Amino acid sequence: MAGNAWRSTVSRVMGAVKSQTQPRTFSRGMQTVTIIPGDGIGPEISSAVIKIFEAAKVPIQWEERNVTAIKGPGGKWMIPPEAKESMDKSKIGLKGPLKTPIAAGHPSMNLLLRKTFDLYANVRPCVSIEGYKTPYTDVDLVTIRENTEGEYSGIEHVIVDGVVQSIKLITEDASRRIAEYAFEYARNNQRASVTAVHKANIMRMSDGLFLRKCREVAENFKDVKFTEMYLDTVCLNMVQDPTKFDVLVMPNLYGDILSDLCAGLIGGLGVTPSGNIGANGVAIFESVHGTAPDIAGKDMANPTALLLSAVMMLRHMGLHGHAKKIETACFDTIRDKKVLTKDLGGNSKCSEFTAEICRRVQDME
Amino acid sequence: VYRASSSMFLCKLCSPYWKQCINDSPISAHQPPPAKYGGRHTVTLIPGDGIGPELLNHVRELFRFCCVPVDFEVVTVDSSVVSEDEINNAVTAIRRNGVALKGNIETNHNLPPSHKSRNNLLRTSLDLYANVMHCQTLPGVQTRHKDIDIIIIRENTEGEYSSLEHENVPGVVESLKIITRVNSLRIAEYAFKLAREKGRRRVTAVHKANIMKLGDGLFLQCCKEVAAGYPDIAFDNMIVDNTTMQLVSKPQQFDVMVMPNLYGNVVSNVCAGLVGGPGLVPGANYGKNYAVFETATRNTGKSIANKNVANPTATLLASCLMLDHLGLVDYASMIRKAIFKTLSETRLHTADIGGLATTSEVVQSIMREVQKTGPLTSEYI
């Protein structure tokens, strides 16, 4: 058991080191993680996660930062320099839900973070949660979505009155980068196959380029099986038999739709973890649900999404033992159905749910 | 000569579910092309690739058996040929006949961009602007979700499928998604008219206007404008990623959905999967002057071609939609009834819905049902 853990830790570290431009110093002591509580229910669920991590004695020290956009020199909107500094130093972040202001004049914070740290890959592992019943059981797949270009380039023009064109941008570099990440991820997490999702029958040049890059990268990863599938076929098969899929890699829009589809299969955004991988070794893990202003401050929130994202973060950092402990505690609590928050079907408070998980974690010592 | 009175009488005996299907005729605004030659209609038939040819042969067999007054003009389109002559011939044939029934033509996506998708060329040349798909839970088919009844109306000619791509700088490809006011208004008008005709309560527009503010924003605005003219029908909108999430958890909340091309592709495939798979749902493409009927999810089914295992339901139901469009409503309802009766028997399910029956067994059973309940049929099965 210990041998396996050590080997997988080593491969994780090697994989992590290989795929980054700067090797991350791996100290046996406390590692710093930047935590961004967010808005609405963000602060409650963040403190829940911190409490659980304390109970599990995870060697992490938290640095709390705020990312409300400020106008920098030159008039460009940017995140506060303290936040950027902290992230650059720690390289790992955990983020709660952020409010997207409608008329504040600045772009969404998520977009800013993405641009600042070049978060090019959005990774969403979707695993069925035992105890939280959905019509789909045995879902175990990962969607890896290119997060910087594609249909979300934001380039739109009105050609003449009544005719609008939106530009979908696909570049060789971004496609190669995401494909490489997908195969690395598959290798490091012992996943058997990677499927590229595309619509090259219609968008021959753009998705064709994406597909070509995936094929090229697949040549270097012969241990991982590579397949290609049309977007519509994936959707069709996903709702009939999600067990057929393993790792899916795709451009931005398809990724957006498919990752939310898969989240729906396992129970929604309230229980789905998500991670964003950036250049230079930066990784920000987040909960993808909204800020839920109607239940903010009432101790009713469900911290599962943020907790599972934090577990994903621990695995990324190589702390597999702690990750397993916390994940098991969380799943056991949900499976037992005695202490569940309202959205999971119970009527316990967030603090009670958190306390229950803490108790289980401590019992496991 | 069809026994209108007897089939009407039989219709009254049907269960309410089947009765609704019988009233499943398309928009009354479209006049079916008149039967010119001795009261018989001529319909263009494009076999396509994969399972298309064998399933369309079954359609012809069934029509012959039921004495349906439709003759088929077969136009083959070879997907491997580079020249566009064959597809242009098909388009001319459809212009001549007004109606077509087709299988999916395969697109080899490894060929250069100059080789466009034949199916797309057909749709844009004939300006088949509305793709309509009616997804309902079918009796006898095991699915995870029950009571689904969604009509999906998808803009069929523009959006992401404009095939306008270029590479300005090596390694950087731009693909254009075009949304126009005219087409958006047109599809929204179609959606609301159809909703009113079928007595539907709510139309939901699916979009991604929070990101594509101008493009999908224009689409949404057009839908809102048209909605104002239909105060009896509720209108709301939903972002496409939320839509797919809702579809897999609570599909019963949706009634009629209207959306641009690509989201239509995704949503229609998700819905087809929810009601039992690609072998069960028929689709129709309507334009101002032409109509083309095919399976809703447009699959070639290459891996199961010529093995006698494909599910003929979708293709046969598509042919029923075609009969409705031609005004041969009684024939359509007779065949549809027989199809549903066969479907309700589990031992006659094909492999895709969990059974072991072959295609021919299913078609034979449908013909037997028609013989039992319908008017005089041909002696030769």
Side-chain angles (χ1 to χ4, degrees), chain A residues 135 152 156 162 164-166 168 170-172 199 204-206 215 230 232 236 239-240 253 256 260, chain B residues 109-112 115 144 161 165 171 173 175 177 179-181 208 213-215 241 245 262 265 269 277:
Chain A
Y152 294 4
E156 293 185 289
V164 176
Q165 107 187 350
S166 295
K168 163 179 163 162
I170 299 278
T171 59
E172 231 180 72
K199 258 217 98 50
R204 198 67 56 79
M205 273 179 109
S206 37
R215 285 179 193 152
Y230 288 139
D232 39 16
L236 191 56
V239 295
Q240 293 184 276
L253 176 69
D256 192 4
D260 277 4
Chain B
H109 60 262
N110 295 314
L111 289 173
H115 182 99
R144 289 185 176 89
Y161 287 40
E165 297 178 299
V173 176
S175 172
K177 163 180 164 162
I179 301 273
T180 58
R181 198 176 161 69
K208 192 92 191 148
K213 298 189 169 78
L214 289 182
D241 41 12
M245 218 183 324
L262 185 68
N265 188 339
N269 275 275

Side-chain angles (χ1 to χ4, degrees), chain B residues 249-305:
Chain B
S249 39
K250 253 192 324 160
Q252 297 81 6
Q253 59 180 294
F254 295 104
D255 196 355
V256 177
M257 299 167 79
V258 63
M259 59 205 87
N261 220 329
L262 185 68
Y263 312 146
N265 188 339
V266 172
V267 170
S268 53
N269 275 275
V270 169
C271 290
L274 291 175
V275 297
L280 296 176
V281 194
N285 304 287
Y286 296 107
K288 188 151 161 297
N289 304 313
Y290 313 108
V292 174
F293 301 88
E294 53 178 349
T295 62
T297 47
R298 303 170 178 166
N299 304 94
T300 9
K302 250 190 330 187
S303 53
I304 52 170

